[in-house]
Amino acid sequence: TNEPPPADVPEACEFDKTTNARGAKVCRRCGRPLRMRTRYDVWYDALITTYVGDRYGVRLGATYGDVLKWLTALRPYRGSQGGANAEFYDTVYSITHVVYTLNEYGQYRLPARLLPREFEFLKANLREAVAEGDADMLGEFMDSLRALGLTDADALIRAGTEYLLAHQNADGSWGDARERDIYLRYHPTWGGVAALSNYAWRGTGPSPAKLRLLLALNQASARAEY
Ligand SMILES: [Zn+2]
């Protein structure tokens, strides 16, 4: 928890699914080179894990606050840069999961001024999900932007809505209907449903404890910038 999100955590081996220790460059089973996970991927995985751990009352190596504070190390965010930014996808999911874990997965609105850089990134890049035909990512963009205050009156939400309505499968799902991985069947469908939903918000969040974490984080990043 005293170290920013690392870039030397390998993906499982693509050939035999063997998991390898941090820092490994080749698979311990087959010797083939390993691909590294992005810092964003490692970080938001930890964010979700600690969020669930804290909620359930089981400490999983660190607390949610220990992980959230490293958000500053992930800024500034880069757009897809015409496909050149290999971290774009994980950047999007990092930011949407900041929103989800702060608003208890769709229960509270969040003031956009608490997350100004994240709000700007989401607005600037939503159309990229439409251009890529990625219903899953588009769902996360729209869901998060609604939590931060956009509504059907905003052109971005309307553009996303039009895309989703035009690309829903005959069975009501979204994504590739021939996909065999069940996660890739349900998650885009969940995304489409969430993006088109109007939530009955319980009010404005985040909780006082999370607000303190966020204010400390924004203060630290302001100090670093000036
Ligand atoms: Zn291997």
Side-chain angles (χ1 to χ4, degrees):
T1 61
N2 292 313
E3 181 197 19
D8 62 350
V9 178
E11 304 249 21
C13 173
E14 334 177 27
F15 297 93
D16 49 38
K17 309 283 178 231
T18 302
T19 54
N20 288 274
R22 182 177 166 191
K25 299 258 186 306
V26 296
C27 176
R28 60 191 160 88
R29 183 149 166 211
C30 71
R32 288 185 176 96
L34 295 166
R35 278 205 301 192
M36 294 300 131
R37 296 175 60 183
T38 69
R39 295 179 306 141
Y40 291 91
D41 184 30
V42 172
W43 181 79
Y44 88 81
D45 202 359
L47 190 74
I48 297 167
T49 302
T50 52
Y51 170 81
V52 174
D54 282 5
R55 250 185 105 90
Y56 192 64
V58 177
R59 191 184 154 109
L60 298 165
T63 65
Y64 175 78
D66 293 332
V67 178
L68 183 69
K69 73 178 181 191
W70 291 110
L71 181 61
T72 52
L74 299 175
R75 295 169 177 161
Y77 307 118
R78 293 183 300 139
S80 100
Q81 300 172 327
N85 178 12
E87 294 183 324
F88 176 68
Y89 181 91
D90 292 329
T91 304
V92 174
Y93 285 80
S94 290
I95 293 175
T96 59
H97 286 82
V98 169
V99 172
Y100 292 142
T101 57
L102 286 173
N103 86 342
E104 317 296 331
Y105 284 80
Q107 294 192 52
Y108 301 94
R109 273 195 206 93
L110 296 174
R113 67 178 184 278
L114 289 177
L115 295 166
R117 292 171 189 80
E118 290 70 23
F119 187 49
E120 285 310 312
F121 175 89
L122 292 170
K123 287 192 293 183
N125 291 283
L126 176 144
R127 288 180 195 278
E128 188 62 32
V130 174
E132 289 182 21
D134 190 331
D136 191 289
M137 188 192 266
L138 177 59
E140 300 235 350
F141 267 109
M142 291 173 65
D143 204 14
S144 298
L145 282 169
R146 283 185 194 275
L148 291 166
L150 295 200
T151 67
D152 291 328
D154 291 283
L156 277 178
I157 298 294
R158 284 206 303 274
T161 301
E162 277 167 26
Y163 176 87
L164 290 172
L165 293 180
H167 292 84
Q168 189 173 19
N169 297 322
D171 65 1
S173 68
W174 278 273
D176 181 355
R178 293 158 307 175
E179 172 63 51
R180 301 182 68 142
D181 181 340
I182 188 67
Y183 180 85
L184 295 175
R185 292 301 300 118
Y186 94 77
H187 204 274
T189 301
W190 166 82
V193 171
L196 299 176
S197 299
N198 275 312
Y199 289 106
W201 303 106
R202 292 191 180 179
T204 299
S207 68
K210 285 182 176 169
L211 180 60
R212 276 194 295 275
L213 292 173
L214 205 51
L215 291 176
L217 182 152
N218 284 339
Q219 231 164 34
S221 104
R223 267 199 305 275
E225 277 167 34
Y226 298 109

